[in-house]
Amino acid sequence: MSAEPCLHDVEYISILLREYDASYRYIDVRGKVVLDIGADFGTSAFWFIAQGAQKVIAYDTYQNRIVHPKIEWHGKWNGEFVPADVLKIDCEGCECLASPSFFEKYSEAYIAIHEFAPCFNSLFPYLNSTCHKIFVTEDGKETMFLCRK
């Protein structure tokens, strides 16, 4: 998407919520702190709160964001480790800033890998062999995995 999505773009939000229901439903966030890398304008963070997350540490560059007392906003993620119980990373290429050892630091890690990402050929085989494939976008360009300790 070339332009920043709008908070009142109902069709866009509806598409996101359907994707979340299909893929994030496997993640148990009740009472947990979620690290949400690629939080968009807060739809995924808000979805995690609605599912019972204690707090969401959200990273994204959008300026127009959902404001909620349980969402702690940060800008662009630079690959650093952030303490949390659950990791969700879906940021169209920034998955390459993380290594398999980074994912293993979390009790549950939801990782979306994009076909165009420079690390696709190295990261996809690791995720495919050690994690559960839980969702593939309709166009097949994004695959979501759930890794558990």
Side-chain angles (χ1 to χ4, degrees):
M1 185 168 279
S2 57
E4 185 170 309
C6 176
L7 281 171
H8 23 320
D9 184 340
V10 176
E11 183 179 346
Y12 179 72
I13 292 171
S14 177
I15 290 167
L16 291 176
L17 292 176
R18 281 196 303 275
E19 183 178 311
Y20 301 161
D21 284 341
S23 55
Y24 298 161
R25 65 187 165 133
Y26 299 100
I27 304 172
D28 179 13
V29 298
R30 290 171 293 171
K32 297 178 182 174
V33 175
V34 177
L35 174 57
D36 187 355
I37 300 169
D40 203 42
F41 53 84
T43 51
S44 55
F46 192 77
W47 192 91
F48 289 128
I49 290 167
Q51 302 307 310
Q54 173 189 338
K55 174 183 176 180
V56 177
I57 303 166
Y59 281 81
D60 215 308
T61 57
Y62 292 128
Q63 298 302 307
N64 193 13
R65 302 171 172 165
I66 293 173
V67 176
H68 189 282
K70 291 185 176 184
I71 301 174
E72 176 186 308
W73 278 104
H74 299 270
K76 186 176 180 179
W77 180 65
N78 64 8
E80 80 275 9
F81 171 74
V82 178
D85 302 304
V86 175
L87 165 68
K88 175 267 191 173
I89 184 166
D90 184 358
C91 48
E92 302 193 10
C94 79
E95 63 267 26
C96 296
L97 294 174
S99 66
S101 62
F102 177 84
F103 305 138
E104 294 166 0
K105 294 179 181 183
Y106 298 92
S107 61
E108 292 181 289
Y110 169 89
I111 302 117
I113 183 145
H114 300 80
E115 187 179 81
F116 60 81
C119 63
F120 182 84
N121 289 333
S122 60
L123 188 55
F124 185 88
Y126 165 79
L127 294 171
N128 203 37
S129 66
T130 60
C131 304
H132 304 283
K133 186 185 297 185
I134 57 174
F135 186 77
V136 179
T137 56
E138 287 182 20
D139 63 7
K141 294 182 186 250
E142 181 180 5
T143 304
M144 287 80 159
F145 289 93
L146 178 59
C147 308
R148 290 191 169 119
K149 282 187 178 181

